[in-house]
Amino acid sequence: MGATRETGSDAPGEARFLARLALLAVLGSLLVLVLALGEGGLMVLGAGLLGVVLCAAGVWWFVAHRGLLRVIGALLVFLAPAGVVVLFAYQGLWLTALILVLCWGVALTCARAALRRSRPERPQVATAAARPARPVLIMNPKSGGGKVGRFGLVERAEELGARVILLDPGAPADVAELARRAVADGADLLGVAGGDGTQALVAAVAADHDLPFLVISAGTRNHLAMDLGLDRDDPSRCLDALTDGEELRIDLGDVSGRAFVNTVSFGVYADVVQRPEYRDDKAGTALSLMPDLLVGEGVRRLDSLVDGAPLADQQALLVSNNPYFSPDEISGTGRRPRLDDGELGVLGIRVEDAAQAADLAVRGSQSTGLTVLSAHRVEVTVSGPAEADGPPETAEDPGADGPSEAAEDAGADGPPEAAEDTGTDGPPEVAENAGVDKSAEEPGTSGAVEIPVAVDGEALRMPIPVVCTLRPGALRVLVPRDRPGVVAPPPAIDWRRILDLAFGRTVRTAPR
């Protein structure tokens, strides 16, 4: 989307040199295979590929089935790679295999370096920010295993002039209402030390009032903090923004009227995090439910319209606030190089059997089971049986820390209870009357057919169709001037572009 630019004949010489090195390494691996034909070169290639296929099939059988097939799958996951290693050692092929691995490693490293240098990242513009006079920070002492207390965030924030509202883990509070009350009392900055689910709720209030928002990386995974380039190891460094900060404008996601900062998940993951037992036994709960969710009778599939184009019969769908960029999009470890491109990322997964699982393992993002798109609007419904409305069956682990984890923030979105204000201006602030009607705040109580949805990891239910959009540049984020910065993710390999770079041919690419 957007304008295009030309690369190739004008590409930096370094990128061209690296692209040529990558091609030479590929040719080297092919030469090794040809020279080793009489010594089992094809056996090395075939055995390695077979090991990957069997391992992927084993993972599928282990996850999607119970009983004997699950046992066989578990054995394959361990025995397939072990068998390949034993075969190489027994046949004396380990040296050939090692050289092939090294050649491919050099090829991939040089290819990614060439792509990165040929298409440099466009830096996100930061503007100077005035020091806030009345900052208000909401902190969850439970989040991240107690990072608020471990790093002395309350004391540090108060030293810098902030008023801190400390949530009571035993009495969940309506943090959005707490934020609105803080704004009414004159706050000129809102901030959160907690998981991404709580971050999103307060960020929406900040965006609605055009106030700067401070992200404090006190959650478990801190995906938003990571993509903002903040220090995730020491959340107290995020507070430096109060005295020496600069401002970024980023996009804010919206799912049927509720804000999100990272992802909205539909399908398998959303179904799993709905279960109350998921809080105490994530792996066990997932394994017990997966067979029914993947291959069970009457299993629900997702249909969606991605900017009007249909994407049908998906088992899982992930919609993100700006696209995640990774050579392994389904790993959950991807990063978003930008948060201000004004586009949703869309990732759809459909794997019906062991053969498709193997195809996904071998071909990655080129597999027919994986769909990677970007869009401005995504509308999600279901193509299988949908559950009628009823009392939501939600996990007891509210709050959110990222696309792969149910939220842990006890104060994220429950009935308004007590929240302690640690400021020195008066007695602890009580949020007993701070809440609003939940049916007005959250979809799911109008009698419509609902589906499970995980918003920034938090288990919810929403009436279909569920619509995801983006509010471009809606959120002002205050970040420390001195921060680690965003690590550029490795680009996905595109061998056609590598050839174009190596031989100086002109290609047209969309800007990042």
Side-chain angles (χ1 to χ4, degrees), residues 5 7-8 10-24 105-121 325 489-504 507 509 512:
R5 66 178 182 181
T7 62
D10 296 328
E14 187 177 357
R16 184 179 296 112
F17 175 72
L18 289 167
R20 290 172 178 174
L21 278 183
L23 293 179
L24 284 175
V106 171
L108 294 177
T109 300
C110 290
R112 285 182 178 141
L115 292 172
R116 185 180 289 118
R117 283 162 177 76
S118 69
R119 198 179 179 189
E121 293 290 334
F325 191 80
I493 300 298
D494 183 343
W495 289 107
R496 182 175 298 177
R497 288 200 68 231
I498 293 296
L499 286 168
D500 291 331
L501 283 172
F503 294 105
V507 295
T509 60
R512 292 186 181 181

Coordinates of all heavy atoms in Angstrom, one line a residue, residues 5 7-8 10-24 105-121 325 489-504 507 509 512:
R5 N 8.8 2.8 -4.2 CA 10.1 3.3 -4.4 C 11.0 2.3 -5.2 O 10.6 1.1 -5.1 CB 10.8 3.7 -3.1 CG 11.2 2.5 -2.2 CD 11.9 3.0 -1.0 NE 12.3 1.8 -0.2 CZ 12.9 1.9 1.0 NH1 13.2 3.1 1.4 NH2 13.2 0.9 1.7
T7 N 14.4 0.1 -5.9 CA 15.7 -0.3 -5.4 C 16.3 -1.2 -6.4 O 15.7 -1.7 -7.3 CB 15.5 -1.1 -4.1 OG1 14.8 -2.3 -4.3 CG2 14.9 -0.3 -3.0
G8 N 17.6 -1.5 -6.3 CA 18.2 -2.4 -7.2 C 19.4 -1.8 -7.8 O 20.5 -1.9 -7.2
D10 N 20.2 1.2 -7.7 CA 20.6 2.2 -6.8 C 20.8 1.7 -5.4 O 21.0 2.4 -4.4 CB 19.6 3.4 -6.8 CG 19.5 4.1 -8.1 OD1 20.6 4.2 -8.8 OD2 18.4 4.6 -8.4
A11 N 20.7 0.4 -5.2 CA 20.8 -0.2 -3.9 C 22.3 0.0 -3.4 O 23.2 0.0 -4.2 CB 20.5 -1.7 -3.9
P12 N 22.5 0.1 -2.1 CA 23.8 0.3 -1.6 C 24.7 -0.9 -2.0 O 24.3 -2.0 -2.1 CB 23.6 0.3 0.0 CG 22.2 0.7 0.1 CD 21.4 0.2 -1.0
G13 N 26.0 -0.5 -2.2 CA 26.9 -1.6 -2.6 C 27.1 -2.7 -1.6 O 27.3 -3.8 -1.9
E14 N 26.9 -2.3 -0.3 CA 27.0 -3.3 0.7 C 25.9 -4.4 0.6 O 26.1 -5.6 0.8 CB 27.0 -2.7 2.1 CG 27.3 -3.6 3.3 CD 27.3 -2.9 4.6 OE1 27.1 -1.6 4.6 OE2 27.4 -3.6 5.6
A15 N 24.7 -3.9 0.3 CA 23.6 -4.8 0.2 C 23.8 -5.7 -1.0 O 23.5 -7.0 -0.9 CB 22.3 -4.0 0.0
R16 N 24.3 -5.2 -2.1 CA 24.6 -6.0 -3.3 C 25.6 -7.1 -3.0 O 25.5 -8.2 -3.4 CB 25.0 -5.1 -4.5 CG 25.2 -5.9 -5.8 CD 25.6 -5.0 -6.9 NE 24.5 -4.1 -7.2 CZ 24.6 -2.7 -7.0 NH1 25.7 -2.2 -6.5 NH2 23.6 -2.0 -7.3
F17 N 26.7 -6.7 -2.3 CA 27.8 -7.6 -1.9 C 27.2 -8.7 -1.0 O 27.6 -9.9 -1.3 CB 28.9 -6.8 -1.2 CG 30.0 -7.7 -0.7 CD1 30.9 -8.3 -1.5 CD2 30.1 -7.9 0.7 CE1 31.9 -9.1 -1.0 CE2 31.1 -8.7 1.2 CZ 32.0 -9.3 0.3
L18 N 26.4 -8.4 -0.1 CA 25.8 -9.4 0.8 C 24.9 -10.3 0.1 O 24.9 -11.5 0.4 CB 25.1 -8.7 2.0 CG 26.0 -8.1 3.0 CD1 25.2 -7.2 4.0 CD2 26.8 -9.1 3.8
A19 N 24.1 -9.8 -0.9 CA 23.2 -10.6 -1.7 C 24.0 -11.6 -2.5 O 23.7 -12.8 -2.6 CB 22.4 -9.8 -2.6
R20 N 25.2 -11.2 -3.0 CA 26.0 -12.1 -3.8 C 26.6 -13.1 -2.9 O 26.8 -14.3 -3.3 CB 27.1 -11.3 -4.5 CG 26.5 -10.4 -5.7 CD 27.5 -9.5 -6.3 NE 26.9 -8.8 -7.4 CZ 27.5 -7.8 -8.1 NH1 28.8 -7.4 -7.7 NH2 26.9 -7.2 -9.1
L21 N 27.0 -12.8 -1.7 CA 27.6 -13.8 -0.8 C 26.5 -14.8 -0.4 O 26.8 -16.0 -0.3 CB 28.0 -13.1 0.5 CG 29.4 -12.4 0.5 CD1 29.7 -11.9 1.9 CD2 30.5 -13.4 0.1
A22 N 25.3 -14.4 -0.3 CA 24.2 -15.3 0.0 C 24.0 -16.3 -1.1 O 23.9 -17.5 -0.9 CB 22.9 -14.6 0.3
L23 N 24.0 -15.8 -2.3 CA 23.9 -16.7 -3.5 C 25.1 -17.7 -3.6 O 24.9 -18.9 -3.9 CB 23.7 -15.9 -4.8 CG 22.4 -15.1 -4.9 CD1 22.4 -14.3 -6.2 CD2 21.2 -16.0 -4.8
L24 N 26.3 -17.2 -3.3 CA 27.4 -18.1 -3.3 C 27.3 -19.2 -2.3 O 27.7 -20.3 -2.5 CB 28.7 -17.2 -3.1 CG 29.2 -16.4 -4.3 CD1 30.4 -15.5 -3.9 CD2 29.6 -17.3 -5.5
G105 N 23.4 -21.6 6.8 CA 23.5 -20.6 7.9 C 24.1 -19.3 7.3 O 23.5 -18.2 7.6
V106 N 25.2 -19.4 6.6 CA 25.8 -18.2 6.0 C 24.9 -17.6 5.0 O 24.7 -16.3 4.9 CB 27.1 -18.6 5.3 CG1 27.7 -17.4 4.5 CG2 28.2 -19.0 6.4
A107 N 24.2 -18.4 4.1 CA 23.3 -17.9 3.1 C 22.1 -17.1 3.7 O 21.8 -16.0 3.3 CB 22.7 -19.1 2.3
L108 N 21.5 -17.6 4.8 CA 20.4 -16.9 5.4 C 20.9 -15.7 6.1 O 20.2 -14.6 6.1 CB 19.7 -17.9 6.4 CG 19.0 -19.1 5.8 CD1 18.5 -20.0 6.9 CD2 17.9 -18.7 4.9
T109 N 22.0 -15.7 6.8 CA 22.5 -14.5 7.5 C 22.8 -13.4 6.5 O 22.4 -12.3 6.7 CB 23.8 -14.9 8.3 OG1 23.5 -15.9 9.2 CG2 24.3 -13.7 9.0
C110 N 23.5 -13.7 5.4 CA 23.8 -12.7 4.4 C 22.6 -12.2 3.7 O 22.5 -11.0 3.4 CB 24.8 -13.3 3.4 SG 26.5 -13.6 4.1
A111 N 21.6 -13.1 3.4 CA 20.4 -12.7 2.7 C 19.6 -11.7 3.6 O 19.2 -10.7 3.1 CB 19.6 -13.9 2.4
R112 N 19.5 -12.0 4.9 CA 18.7 -11.1 5.7 C 19.5 -9.7 5.9 O 18.8 -8.7 5.9 CB 18.5 -11.7 7.1 CG 17.4 -12.8 7.0 CD 17.1 -13.4 8.3 NE 16.0 -14.4 8.2 CZ 16.0 -15.6 8.8 NH1 17.0 -15.9 9.6 NH2 15.0 -16.4 8.7
A113 N 20.8 -9.8 6.0 CA 21.6 -8.6 6.1 C 21.4 -7.7 4.8 O 21.3 -6.5 4.9 CB 23.0 -8.9 6.4
A114 N 21.4 -8.4 3.7 CA 21.3 -7.7 2.4 C 19.9 -7.0 2.3 O 19.8 -5.8 1.9 CB 21.5 -8.6 1.2
L115 N 18.9 -7.7 2.7 CA 17.5 -7.2 2.6 C 17.4 -6.0 3.6 O 16.7 -5.0 3.3 CB 16.5 -8.2 3.0 CG 16.3 -9.4 1.9 CD1 15.5 -10.5 2.5 CD2 15.8 -8.8 0.6
R116 N 18.0 -6.1 4.8 CA 17.9 -5.0 5.8 C 18.6 -3.7 5.3 O 18.1 -2.6 5.4 CB 18.4 -5.5 7.1 CG 18.3 -4.5 8.2 CD 18.9 -4.9 9.5 NE 18.1 -6.0 10.1 CZ 18.5 -7.2 10.3 NH1 19.7 -7.6 10.0 NH2 17.7 -8.1 10.8
R117 N 19.8 -3.9 4.7 CA 20.5 -2.8 4.2 C 19.9 -2.1 2.9 O 20.1 -1.0 2.7 CB 22.0 -3.2 3.9 CG 22.8 -3.3 5.2 CD 24.0 -4.1 5.0 NE 24.8 -4.1 6.3 CZ 24.5 -4.9 7.3 NH1 23.5 -5.6 7.3 NH2 25.3 -4.8 8.4
S118 N 19.2 -3.0 2.2 CA 18.6 -2.4 0.9 C 17.3 -1.7 1.2 O 16.8 -0.9 0.4 CB 18.3 -3.5 -0.1 OG 17.2 -4.4 0.4
R119 N 16.8 -1.9 2.4 CA 15.5 -1.3 2.8 C 15.5 -0.8 4.2 O 14.9 -1.4 5.1 CB 14.4 -2.3 2.6 CG 13.0 -1.8 2.5 CD 12.0 -2.9 2.3 NE 10.7 -2.5 2.2 CZ 9.6 -3.3 2.2 NH1 9.8 -4.6 2.3 NH2 8.4 -2.8 2.1
P120 N 16.3 0.3 4.5 CA 16.5 0.7 5.9 C 15.2 1.1 6.5 O 14.3 1.6 5.8 CB 17.4 1.9 5.7 CG 17.3 2.4 4.3 CD 17.0 1.1 3.5
E121 N 15.1 0.9 7.8 CA 13.9 1.3 8.6 C 13.7 2.8 8.6 O 14.7 3.6 8.7 CB 14.0 0.8 10.0 CG 14.0 -0.7 10.1 CD 12.7 -1.3 9.8 OE1 11.7 -0.6 10.0 OE2 12.6 -2.4 9.4
F325 N 6.2 -8.5 12.4 CA 7.2 -8.8 11.4 C 8.2 -9.8 11.9 O 9.0 -9.5 12.8 CB 7.9 -7.5 10.9 CG 8.6 -7.7 9.6 CD1 8.0 -7.7 8.4 CD2 10.0 -7.9 9.7 CE1 8.7 -7.8 7.2 CE2 10.7 -8.0 8.5 CZ 10.1 -8.0 7.3
P489 N 13.6 -6.3 13.6 CA 13.4 -7.8 13.4 C 14.1 -8.2 12.2 O 14.2 -7.5 11.2 CB 11.9 -7.9 13.4 CG 11.4 -6.6 12.9 CD 12.3 -5.6 13.4
P490 N 14.5 -9.5 12.1 CA 15.1 -10.0 10.9 C 14.1 -10.1 9.8 O 13.0 -10.6 10.0 CB 15.7 -11.4 11.3 CG 14.8 -11.8 12.5 CD 14.5 -10.5 13.2
P491 N 14.4 -9.6 8.6 CA 13.4 -9.7 7.5 C 13.2 -11.1 7.0 O 14.1 -12.0 7.1 CB 14.0 -8.8 6.4 CG 15.5 -8.9 6.7 CD 15.6 -9.0 8.2
A492 N 12.0 -11.4 6.5 CA 11.7 -12.7 5.9 C 12.5 -12.8 4.6 O 12.7 -11.8 3.9 CB 10.2 -12.8 5.7
I493 N 12.9 -14.0 4.3 CA 13.8 -14.2 3.2 C 12.9 -14.2 1.9 O 11.9 -14.9 1.8 CB 14.5 -15.6 3.3 CG1 15.4 -15.6 4.5 CG2 15.3 -15.8 2.0 CD1 16.5 -14.6 4.5
D494 N 13.3 -13.4 1.0 CA 12.7 -13.3 -0.4 C 13.8 -13.4 -1.4 O 14.6 -12.5 -1.7 CB 12.0 -11.9 -0.5 CG 11.3 -11.8 -1.8 OD1 11.5 -12.6 -2.8 OD2 10.4 -10.8 -1.9
W495 N 13.9 -14.7 -1.9 CA 15.1 -15.0 -2.8 C 15.0 -14.2 -4.1 O 16.0 -14.0 -4.8 CB 15.2 -16.5 -3.0 CG 15.7 -17.2 -1.8 CD1 14.9 -18.0 -1.0 CD2 17.0 -17.1 -1.2 NE1 15.7 -18.4 0.1 CE2 17.0 -17.9 -0.1 CE3 18.2 -16.5 -1.6 CZ2 18.1 -18.1 0.7 CZ3 19.3 -16.7 -0.8 CH2 19.3 -17.5 0.3
R496 N 13.8 -13.9 -4.5 CA 13.6 -13.1 -5.8 C 14.3 -11.7 -5.6 O 15.0 -11.2 -6.5 CB 12.2 -13.0 -6.1 CG 11.9 -12.2 -7.4 CD 10.4 -12.2 -7.8 NE 10.0 -13.6 -8.1 CZ 8.7 -13.9 -8.3 NH1 7.8 -13.0 -8.4 NH2 8.4 -15.2 -8.5
R497 N 14.0 -11.1 -4.4 CA 14.7 -9.8 -4.2 C 16.2 -10.0 -4.0 O 16.9 -9.1 -4.4 CB 14.1 -9.2 -2.9 CG 12.7 -8.7 -3.1 CD 12.3 -7.7 -2.0 NE 13.1 -6.4 -2.2 CZ 13.8 -5.8 -1.3 NH1 13.9 -6.4 -0.1 NH2 14.5 -4.8 -1.5
I498 N 16.6 -11.1 -3.5 CA 18.1 -11.3 -3.3 C 18.7 -11.4 -4.7 O 19.8 -10.8 -5.0 CB 18.4 -12.6 -2.5 CG1 17.9 -12.4 -1.1 CG2 19.8 -13.0 -2.6 CD1 18.7 -11.4 -0.3
L499 N 18.1 -12.1 -5.6 CA 18.6 -12.1 -7.0 C 18.6 -10.8 -7.6 O 19.6 -10.4 -8.3 CB 17.7 -13.1 -7.8 CG 17.9 -14.6 -7.6 CD1 16.8 -15.4 -8.3 CD2 19.3 -15.1 -8.1
D500 N 17.5 -10.0 -7.4 CA 17.5 -8.7 -8.0 C 18.6 -7.8 -7.4 O 19.2 -7.0 -8.2 CB 16.1 -8.0 -7.7 CG 15.0 -8.7 -8.5 OD1 15.3 -9.2 -9.6 OD2 13.8 -8.7 -8.0
L501 N 18.8 -7.9 -6.1 CA 19.9 -7.1 -5.5 C 21.3 -7.5 -6.1 O 22.1 -6.7 -6.4 CB 19.9 -7.2 -4.0 CG 18.8 -6.5 -3.3 CD1 18.8 -6.9 -1.8 CD2 19.0 -5.0 -3.4
A502 N 21.5 -8.8 -6.1 CA 22.8 -9.3 -6.5 C 23.1 -8.9 -8.0 O 24.3 -8.6 -8.2 CB 22.8 -10.8 -6.4
F503 N 22.2 -8.9 -8.8 CA 22.4 -8.6 -10.3 C 22.0 -7.2 -10.7 O 22.0 -6.8 -11.8 CB 21.7 -9.6 -11.1 CG 22.3 -11.0 -11.0 CD1 21.5 -12.0 -10.3 CD2 23.5 -11.4 -11.5 CE1 22.0 -13.2 -10.1 CE2 24.0 -12.6 -11.3 CZ 23.3 -13.6 -10.6
G504 N 21.7 -6.3 -9.7 CA 21.4 -4.9 -9.9 C 20.2 -4.7 -10.7 O 20.0 -3.6 -11.3
V507 N 13.7 -3.3 -8.7 CA 12.5 -3.9 -8.2 C 11.7 -2.8 -7.5 O 12.3 -1.7 -7.1 CB 12.8 -5.0 -7.1 CG1 13.4 -6.2 -7.8 CG2 13.6 -4.5 -6.0
T509 N 9.2 -1.8 -4.4 CA 8.7 -2.3 -3.1 C 7.9 -1.2 -2.4 O 8.2 0.0 -2.6 CB 9.9 -2.7 -2.2 OG1 10.7 -1.6 -2.0 CG2 10.6 -3.8 -2.8
R512 N 8.1 1.0 4.1 CA 7.6 0.5 5.4 C 7.0 1.7 6.2 O 7.5 2.8 6.1 CB 8.8 0.0 6.2 CG 9.4 -1.3 5.6 CD 10.4 -1.9 6.5 NE 11.0 -3.1 6.0 CZ 11.9 -3.8 6.6 NH1 12.4 -3.4 7.7 NH2 12.4 -4.9 6.0

